[in-house]
Each structure stands twice: as C-alpha cells, then as structure tokens.
Amino acid sequence: MNILVTGGAGFIGSNFIRYWLTEHPQDVITNLDALTYAGNLASLKDVEVNPNYEFIQGSILDAELVGQLVETADRIVHFAAESHVDRSILGPEAFVETNIRGTFTLLEAARKKKIPFHHISTDEVFGSLELGSSAKFTEHTPYQPNSPYSASKAGSDHLVRAYHETYGLPVTITNCSNNFGPYQHPEKFIPRMITDLIDGGTVKIYGDGLYVRDWLYVQDHCRAIDAVLTNGKNGETYLVGGMSQDISNKDIALKVLEIMGMSEDKITYVADRPGHDRRYAVDWTKIHDELGWQPEHSFEEWLKETVEWYKNNQSWWRPLKEKAESIYK
Ligand code: NAD
Ligand code: TYD
C-alpha cells in the first residue's frame, strides 16, 4: 500500500512514520510537509535511508502538487496542521488557511481519486469540561471549540464528515487528547518545561495551573491510528485518550521537578491564556470495544522517559528553542 502522509515532519507525524514503517514494512510512505517552523527533518534522520520512504517538501494548499501525489496514493493520512493554541491566539489566519482550506484541498483530491482519507483531529473541538466533574468527551459530545485552533480543527472535521455523507468518500476521523513524547516542539507545555529547566530557567504555569488535560503517549496514539486504518469502520469517528487521569498542569510541573531533582521554587506563575479550556478528559470506550485498542504507556513512567529523551537529544531541540520562545516575548 502506498500511503500519502501529510505533516510527517511534525511531532506526531514523524513518530507515526517511524512506527508504520516498522510495523508495516511492505508499505510505502510519501511524506508531504511544508516544513513550517514546526516541521523538522531531523526528526526523521533514521527513516530517510528507508527505500520505502520518500519526502516531498510542499504545501497541502498546493492543489496541483496534491493532485499529482494523490495519483499514486492508495490512501491519505492527514496530520498537517497549525497545531499550537497560543500561536492561534496571536495569528489565527494561518490556522484557517492550513487547517480548513488545506484539509479541503486534500479532500478534493481524495474525492477525485476515490481513496480513503484518515483525518487526525483533537479533543479540543469539544470545548471544556468542568473541573472536578467526572464527565468525559465521547463520540456524541457536541462540538464547542473555544480557540481559533480548535475552531479551525472543528471546521476540518465537519468537512471530512460532509465529504463522506455527500460524496461517499471513505473517511475515518480520530480525535485524540494531548500527546507527549519524543520530537515534540519545545513550545508545547511538557517540552517547554523540561528544556527551560535544563537551561536553568523556570517552568511557566498559566493562570492558577489548575487546568487538566488528558495525556496520551505518542506511541499509543500511533497504535490507535493503526487500529483505525486497519479495522476502523468507514464514516466513523473514534476518540483516543491516555492514562493520565485528571492531573493538573501544576501537578505535572511538580512531577517533572521531582524527576529532575528540583524544587517548587522553579515554578513561575504567568498570565493566563485567553479562552483557556479548564479540563479535557476522553472516554476511549468505543475504540477499545470495537477495535481492541487501549493506551499502554503509563503517564508517570513515560514522563520520566520523555525527560530523559530531552536531556539526551539537546542537539535536536536547541535549534528550535529560540523560535519557540519568541512567541512568548
Ligand atoms: P506539529 O505542529 O508538530 O506538526 C505539524 C506539521 O504539519 C509540521 O511538520 C508542519 O511543517 C506541517 N505543516 C503545517 N502546515 C502545512 C502545510 N500547509 N502543508 C504541509 N505541511 C504543513 O503538530 P503535531 O503535534 O504533530 O500534530 C499533528 C496533528 O495532530 C495535527 O493535525 C493536530 O491538530 C493533531 N493533534 C495534535 C495533538 C498534540 O497533542 N500534539 C493533540 C490532538 C490532535
Ligand atoms: P499546550 O501544550 O499548549 O497544549 P493545549 O493548549 O493544546 O492543551 O498546553 C497544555 C496545557 O499547559 C494548557 O492548559 C496550557 C498550559 N501551559 C502552561 O501552563 N504553560 C506553558 O508554558 C504552556 C506552553 C502551556
């Protein structure tokens, strides 16, 4: 099978390509990535030598290029996006362009060639849950996005669904929770904190720090996408979540400080993010019951592994760090 992966030079895409070529060595992957600030070929150094892997630098907004690449593809797995909420607050336009128009461009090409389309989306499309409640997002939760990022991802989800309903395009969608693990850009919460601490800085906690995300180890996410690509039902959405169980940002910071042998005085409380969603939690019963998937990497253990990875791979993140911090000035 020939898979066109978009956004494969990003965090999850690069982990997915490495995972897929290992688990499905007979398949061929073409990685279409624009190499924005978030795309990094250094994340795929070990994969480059694989004869079943090809990289094409280009944009999902380029309909002609997308049309050419879809000619030889058997399916599309779509990761490419503007993905950082803070950047979407500073400059929403790129989010509308890439996440909505870019997805539309890919869907048009998929429709002409009639090939299956898998869309990677986020639990953030569902908005915010109440702190302290036991409610979780399910496949039936109404959409209520609160940031330009989540609104643009919601728009893309709706387009994917509509192409299935209207044109009969074979599609699947996964809405996953916050990923963590190797090759995540140092502008995101966990890598920002680890890399700041390595450099003698402090952890920046937004607001009161009592914000809750559902943390999914990136390898578990790759396995979930595999389960959906292999056995998922045409037209269906599957939610994917992790094992972190309602841990606050502040408690994650305390865990990282403990892992790194540092104390709480390394925490700085900074201005809150506008429109900051209080709590996300994902009910992954459907993908478990229908496709036999469940997360396997415990949050505590793989947080430690992630700290180790950033300590041992400073040449990977150092060139990105300055750019990451420039948005916070
Ligand atoms: P990322 O920002 O690390 O990577 C995005 C990649 O897309 C980069 O390589 C970038 O160069 C590429 N890209 C951007 N615009 C492009 C364009 N116009 N054409 C081609 N390539 C382009 O993002 P990520 O964290 O790996 O997220 C991947 C997907 O998963 C996104 O769709 C995101 O919305 C979704 N998601 C991420 C998380 C998370 O925790 N990281 C959680 C839920 C959903
Ligand atoms: P982030 O990694 O940006 O992911 P998302 O906004 O998509 O959930 O942020 C995760 C959480 O951490 C979110 O509640 C915002 C918070 N946060 C901080 O407290 N400090 C930081 O420096 C960053 C980047 C995020």
Side-chain angles (χ1 to χ4, degrees), residues 6-14 32-40 58-62 78-84 97-99 102 119-124 149 153 174-180 183-185 187-188 215-216 221:
T6 71
F11 164 45
I12 305 172
S14 61
L32 171 64
D33 195 299
L35 298 184
T36 67
Y37 82 93
N40 188 357
S59 174
I60 56 168
L61 289 155
D62 181 342
H78 176 36
F79 294 91
E82 288 293 337
S83 71
H84 191 34
E97 270 299 297
T98 301
N99 299 357
H119 182 55
I120 315 292
S121 193
T122 168
D123 62 354
E124 303 193 23
Y149 164 66
K153 290 298 291 188
T174 41
N175 294 84
C176 70
S177 59
N178 285 63
N179 284 223
F180 71 105
Y183 302 107
Q184 186 168 29
H185 197 280
E187 69 185 2
K188 301 281 170 73
W215 292 95
L216 168 68
H221 184 195

Side-chain angles (χ1 to χ4, degrees), residues 110-138:
R111 173 163 85 93
K112 283 178 196 134
K113 178 90 191 306
K114 297 189 177 65
I115 53 170
F117 187 94
H118 180 70
H119 182 55
I120 315 292
S121 193
T122 168
D123 62 354
E124 303 193 23
V125 297
F126 302 117
S128 186
L129 296 166
E130 229 175 273
L131 198 61
S133 87
S134 58
K136 292 186 175 189
F137 299 134
T138 73

Side-chain angles (χ1 to χ4, degrees), residues 103-310:
T103 302
F104 161 74
T105 306
L106 289 166
L107 285 167
E108 276 293 281
R111 173 163 85 93
K112 283 178 196 134
K113 178 90 191 306
K114 297 189 177 65
I115 53 170
F117 187 94
H118 180 70
H119 182 55
I120 315 292
S121 193
T122 168
D123 62 354
E124 303 193 23
V125 297
F126 302 117
S128 186
L129 296 166
E130 229 175 273
L131 198 61
S133 87
S134 58
K136 292 186 175 189
F137 299 134
T138 73
E139 287 77 7
H140 303 292
T141 304
Y143 276 49
Q144 203 170 58
N146 292 316
S147 72
Y149 164 66
S150 52
S152 66
K153 290 298 291 188
S156 66
D157 292 11
H158 293 324
L159 276 174
V160 174
R161 242 187 65 82
Y163 270 63
H164 176 70
E165 294 297 326
T166 305
Y167 303 115
L169 184 72
V171 307
T172 41
I173 301 177
T174 41
N175 294 84
C176 70
S177 59
N178 285 63
N179 284 223
F180 71 105
Y183 302 107
Q184 186 168 29
H185 197 280
E187 69 185 2
K188 301 281 170 73
F189 181 49
I190 290 178
R192 185 183 187 205
M193 159 163 54
I194 299 168
T195 54
D196 278 348
L197 290 171
I198 290 173
D199 278 348
T202 58
V203 176
K204 280 77 174 180
I205 294 279
Y206 295 175
D208 58 15
L210 302 180
Y211 291 89
V212 170
R213 267 59 188 140
D214 179 313
W215 292 95
L216 168 68
Y217 191 64
V218 65
Q219 190 76 6
D220 281 334
H221 184 195
C222 295
R223 289 176 39 250
I225 299 168
D226 189 348
V228 173
L229 292 180
T230 310
N231 292 313
K233 261 175 52 195
N234 182 13
E236 293 288 311
T237 289
Y238 298 88
L239 265 53
V240 183
M243 299 178 78
S244 63
Q245 307 224 342
D246 266 30
I247 184 168
S248 71
N249 293 343
K250 184 182 171 192
D251 284 342
I252 294 178
L254 292 174
K255 271 191 198 299
V256 169
L257 287 167
E258 191 190 329
I259 293 167
M260 296 181 72
M262 297 177 190
S263 56
E264 199 173 336
D265 60 3
K266 291 272 188 192
I267 292 182
T268 313
Y269 290 89
V270 300
D272 210 346
R273 171 189 282 173
H276 199 169
D277 288 335
R278 251 311 159 195
R279 174 174 173 265
Y280 304 144
V282 166
D283 179 346
W284 40 263
T285 305
K286 177 177 171 180
I287 187 171
H288 175 262
D289 290 358
E290 291 186 14
L291 307 181
W293 176 90
Q294 62 183 50
E296 286 173 356
H297 292 75
S298 88
F299 181 66
E300 276 72 17
E301 189 184 339
W302 290 87
L303 185 62
K304 272 192 215 135
E305 295 286 337
T306 302
V307 170
E308 275 309 296
W309 190 89
Y310 281 89

